[in-house]
Amino acid sequence: MERTAIRRRLMWQVATVTGVRRETETARTIELEVPDWPGHVAGQHLDVRLTAPDGYRASRSYSIASAWTASHSSTIELTVEQVPRGEVSPYLVDVLNVGDPLEIRGPVGGWFVWKPEQDGPVQLIGGGSGVVPLRAMLRAHASAGSTTPFRLLYSVRRPESVIYVSDLKELASSDDVDVRLVYTRDAPAGEPRVGRIDADVISEHAFKPGDGATTYVCGPTPFVETVADLLVAAGHDPARVRTERFGPTGGP
């Protein structure tokens, strides 16, 4: 049975688009109905493949944005941010419509994941669209009724760049979840600080090294490397810092 499940995850299959939702000017959430979806763990990703009329194929990996639940066992969500001059993301963000087929393969990944049975608090740090798998973890936390303390530091350029605006507000209403936005270019009125996540932000808003938190950092490579270095320099155990890097899409 296990080998069958693994083989299925490695095979391409056709999903159907059942919904689309604009998150920002350049990001869109796509809801997919996937026959015989095996389920996934928050933080996993899948591969998407497009085939041109001339037979040319291009594939990319995207984090799964939704938590898996038994009541919606065959439905998943992807949130895609358009990459300038990209081969796949422009089609997914601006062209793909409800009813269209989409080739996918997965789920993939077993390190950058969160499960409700894990011990200790959880620190999430995301840059730009790096918030996508972190949102899946927050959703899984809510779906499981978990009381594990969660904190999210989310670095974005400006207010209109925030993905999941209403969703993050809803998730932050839980006593166990804290959400902090860090604006790097423009901030809303009343926001006292504009700048990147630095040692002071981590010291003030992240769990302390002695709290035993597992930290998940996701975003463009320069962002992830900088934040991971800051965490280790602050005294956090490198073994408890998990990272996921996106391609060269520019810093948040």
Side-chain angles (χ1 to χ4, degrees):
M1 180 66 72
E2 184 177 347
R3 289 183 179 179
T4 300
I6 293 174
R7 190 160 52 246
R8 183 181 300 157
R9 289 198 297 269
L10 296 176
M11 295 175 58
W12 291 99
Q13 61 177 311
V14 178
T16 302
V17 179
T18 55
V20 294
R21 181 174 68 254
R22 180 68 61 171
E23 299 288 353
T24 69
E25 185 177 345
T26 58
R28 186 194 209 194
T29 293
I30 302 162
E31 181 181 283
L32 298 171
E33 181 76 15
V34 187
D36 300 320
W37 182 246
H40 63 274
V41 180
Q44 288 188 302
H45 61 276
L46 54 74
D47 298 327
V48 172
R49 182 169 71 180
L50 303 181
T51 303
D54 63 1
Y56 174 76
R57 286 175 169 171
S59 61
R60 297 290 185 274
S61 295
Y62 294 102
S63 295
I64 301 171
S66 53
W68 183 83
T69 62
S71 59
H72 296 85
S73 59
S74 61
T75 302
I76 60 172
E77 288 184 347
L78 302 179
T79 299
V80 179
E81 184 163 38
Q82 184 167 335
V83 177
R85 299 177 299 279
E87 288 188 309
V88 176
S89 64
Y91 175 82
L92 298 180
V93 173
D94 291 331
V95 179
L96 194 70
N97 279 317
V98 172
D100 287 345
L102 187 66
E103 273 194 295
I104 66 166
R105 179 175 61 185
V108 182
W111 168 248
F112 194 83
V113 298
W114 179 78
K115 301 177 182 179
E117 61 268 23
Q118 284 182 215
D119 294 329
V122 173
Q123 179 68 57
L124 309 174
I125 304 179
S129 60
V131 74
V132 176
L134 310 184
R135 185 258 198 167
M137 295 179 190
L138 287 166
R139 273 291 168 203
H141 176 269
S143 296
S146 173
T147 58
T148 297
F150 263 59
R151 293 183 185 178
L152 169 65
L153 279 174
Y154 179 16
S155 175
V156 290
R157 288 175 175 149
R158 48 186 63 88
E160 55 268 29
S161 302
V162 178
I163 301 174
Y164 311 130
V165 172
S166 59
D167 203 33
L168 291 178
K169 288 181 180 178
E170 176 190 336
L171 291 164
S173 65
S174 167
D175 293 336
D176 305 308
V177 176
D178 180 74
V179 175
R180 303 277 178 170
L181 271 63
V182 180
Y183 299 95
T184 64
R185 301 284 178 85
D186 302 303
E191 176 66 32
R193 182 187 185 280
V194 176
R196 297 181 183 274
I197 292 177
D198 57 17
D200 290 339
V201 170
I202 288 176
S203 176
E204 183 176 357
H205 298 297
F207 286 107
K208 304 302 180 186
D211 292 333
T214 300
T215 301
Y216 298 85
V217 186
C218 186
T221 296
F223 171 85
V224 171
E225 291 179 347
T226 297
V227 171
D229 288 345
L230 288 170
L231 288 165
V232 173
H236 291 266
D237 182 358
R240 299 189 71 90
V241 178
R242 304 187 182 191
T243 60
E244 180 99 320
R245 294 165 173 81
F246 283 0
T249 59

